[in-house]
Amino acid sequence: MFLINGHEQECLPASDRATQFGDGCFTTARIVDGDVCFLAAHILRLQQACERLLIPFAQWAELEREMQSIAADKPCGVLKVIISRGSGGRGYSGANCQQPTRILSVSAYPAHYAVWRKEGITLALSPVRLGRNPLLGGIKHLNRLEQVLIRTHLEQSDADEALVLDSEGFITECCAANLLWRQGNDVFTPKVDQAGVNGIMRQFCMQQLAHSGFRVVEINAGEEALLDADEIVICNALMPVVPVRAYGKHNWSSRELYSFLAPLCEQTK
């Protein structure tokens, strides 16, 4: 099901800047029992991205009502919201774009996440590195060609997810998830101010860890940092948190961090 600017339809003008330039942002939320999990955080993410991209979107109350309405009769699912700059003129200038476009869609919840949570996943190092750009670092913009290439390479391997470095060789994220690793009581997560996405579940996990017996540290670290870890987990708004059991020849069985985060991350507000 698709809603485009409040109307149930699937057709978007070819002139829309989402298709022309990837000029927009998006968020992907989990639906549980008719509720959009972490709804306020998803709205805030979109607001911050629009501000960074200078997209003059103002229909926030209407968008929130649409998100709640489209999820209301779904016991579970995935809600994706896209905001583009809209249509207007040609070329890179957005000066003639008077009305941003909002697109909502609902799809089935990925069944394999339950298996991943129970059994853990394997990681493989991606040959694709993320370009560093402080203007775009952290936000979930529509330019996802790097992730498309990462996924394409991942599908040629036996791994479940990809370990992704940036162009300087620092651990950044996975293809579709953020990453945390534990060494003793210290929990590390990559900085995402230059590349990658500051995911909603990443933010939530960091908030919970800040009030726990763990110490959370944002860090620039190379691949070798994972080899000294006692435990690795990945997270996103849908999973919401999954343990890593293997990366290359290295295996992990500890679930201390996972056991702390998993029940907390099942909250819906």
Side-chain angles (χ1 to χ4, degrees), residues 238-260:
L238 302 181
M239 292 178 177
V241 62
V242 166
V244 173
R245 71 171 188 270
Y247 171 57
K249 296 181 180 179
H250 297 267
N251 297 275
W252 291 271
S253 58
S254 174
R255 295 282 184 98
E256 183 179 339
L257 178 61
Y258 173 77
S259 296
F260 172 77

Side-chain angles (χ1 to χ4, degrees), residues 6-226:
H7 301 287
E8 190 170 338
Q9 57 181 314
E10 296 188 11
C11 296
L12 187 70
S15 59
D16 194 279
R17 290 172 68 92
T19 61
Q20 293 283 338
F21 305 113
D23 185 3
C25 57
F26 74 105
T27 194
T28 308
R30 184 182 181 188
I31 299 171
V32 176
D33 296 331
D35 290 324
V36 181
C37 300
F38 296 96
L39 175 60
H42 284 285
I43 293 290
L44 180 60
R45 156 187 268 181
L46 292 169
Q47 290 173 334
Q48 292 173 337
C50 284
E51 181 178 355
R52 188 95 65 90
L53 297 173
L54 304 179
I55 295 176
F57 186 82
Q59 293 77 37
W60 296 110
E62 189 171 3
L63 174 62
E64 185 169 345
R65 287 194 297 269
E66 289 175 352
M67 292 173 69
Q68 292 172 319
S69 176
I70 201 172
D73 63 344
K74 311 292 190 303
C76 66
V78 176
L79 169 61
K80 184 174 184 178
V81 179
I82 297 172
I83 297 176
S84 87
R85 199 178 303 274
S87 299
R90 67 160 302 280
Y92 291 132
S93 174
N96 292 321
C97 297
Q98 302 300 319
Q99 181 60 54
T101 302
R102 64 185 188 278
I103 306 168
L104 287 74
S105 62
V106 174
S107 56
Y109 184 78
H112 65 271
Y113 283 158
V115 178
W116 281 14
R117 287 192 291 267
K118 180 180 179 181
E119 299 180 358
I121 65 160
T122 59
L123 293 178
L125 181 64
S126 177
V128 181
R129 293 193 174 189
L130 300 176
R132 291 166 67 86
N133 185 337
L135 183 62
L136 298 177
I139 67 173
K140 204 163 187 179
H141 53 75
L142 291 179
N143 291 265
R144 296 287 106 188
L145 279 178
E146 291 172 321
Q147 282 69 31
V148 170
L149 290 172
I150 291 166
R151 177 63 65 185
T152 301
H153 283 282
L154 177 61
E155 289 171 349
Q156 298 171 11
S157 76
D158 295 327
D160 299 305
E161 249 291 6
L163 175 66
V164 182
L165 311 181
D166 68 13
S167 55
E168 297 297 316
F170 294 127
I171 300 169
T172 304
E173 58 188 6
C174 296
C175 179
N178 288 116
L179 186 81
L180 303 97
W181 64 94
R182 180 182 63 81
Q183 190 170 1
N185 288 326
D186 292 333
V187 177
F188 301 94
T189 190
K191 291 183 177 180
V192 290
D193 58 334
Q194 301 292 317
V197 173
N198 184 14
I200 284 174
M201 195 51 59
R202 173 186 185 270
Q203 297 174 46
F204 180 78
C205 287
M206 291 176 66
Q207 292 167 3
Q208 300 305 307
L209 290 166
H211 303 289
S212 73
F214 297 103
R215 183 176 75 102
V216 62
V217 182
E218 293 183 90
I219 189 174
N220 286 325
E223 173 197 6
E224 65 279 359
L226 295 186

